[in-house]
Amino acid sequence: MNMTAIAFFMIVVGIPVSAGVGGDMFKRWLRHKEAMTTALNAQTAEKAAQYAAHVERLEERVRVLERIVTDRGMALADEIERLRDAPLN
């Protein structure tokens, strides 16, 4: 076989086979990346839901604390006023 025949064989057979194998590898890599992205998105959505639930619980606790402080503050002010008005014995 001479060099021209080898070069012709590489062009006619080698390049299309290499392109086909490379294209198949790229398609597999792309499917893998899509699967990884889908899994990451699901994981991120789950974490966001967990954080939202946690924030909601914290906000409820803050509302309770605000209510305790506010209610106690008014009761304390009333108690101080009653003590001021009470006669000294």
Side-chain angles (χ1 to χ4, degrees), residues 3-76:
M3 290 302 275
T4 307
I6 293 174
F8 178 76
F9 179 78
M10 290 301 290
I11 291 171
V12 172
V13 176
I15 292 175
V17 169
S18 297
V21 170
D24 186 53
M25 288 172 49
F26 178 74
K27 287 177 188 176
R28 287 182 185 187
W29 176 80
L30 191 58
R31 280 195 304 267
H32 171 72
K33 293 300 274 184
E34 288 173 350
M36 294 299 291
T37 301
T38 301
L40 184 61
N41 286 343
Q43 194 177 39
T44 302
E46 176 64 27
K47 282 188 178 187
Q50 289 174 355
Y51 289 142
H54 184 68
V55 166
E56 187 176 332
R57 286 190 304 271
L58 290 175
E59 286 176 346
E60 179 59 31
R61 291 179 73 179
V62 167
R63 280 192 291 274
V64 168
L65 290 173
E66 287 174 342
R67 197 168 46 243
I68 289 169
V69 168
T70 303
D71 292 348
R72 181 65 183 142
M74 290 300 295
L76 183 59

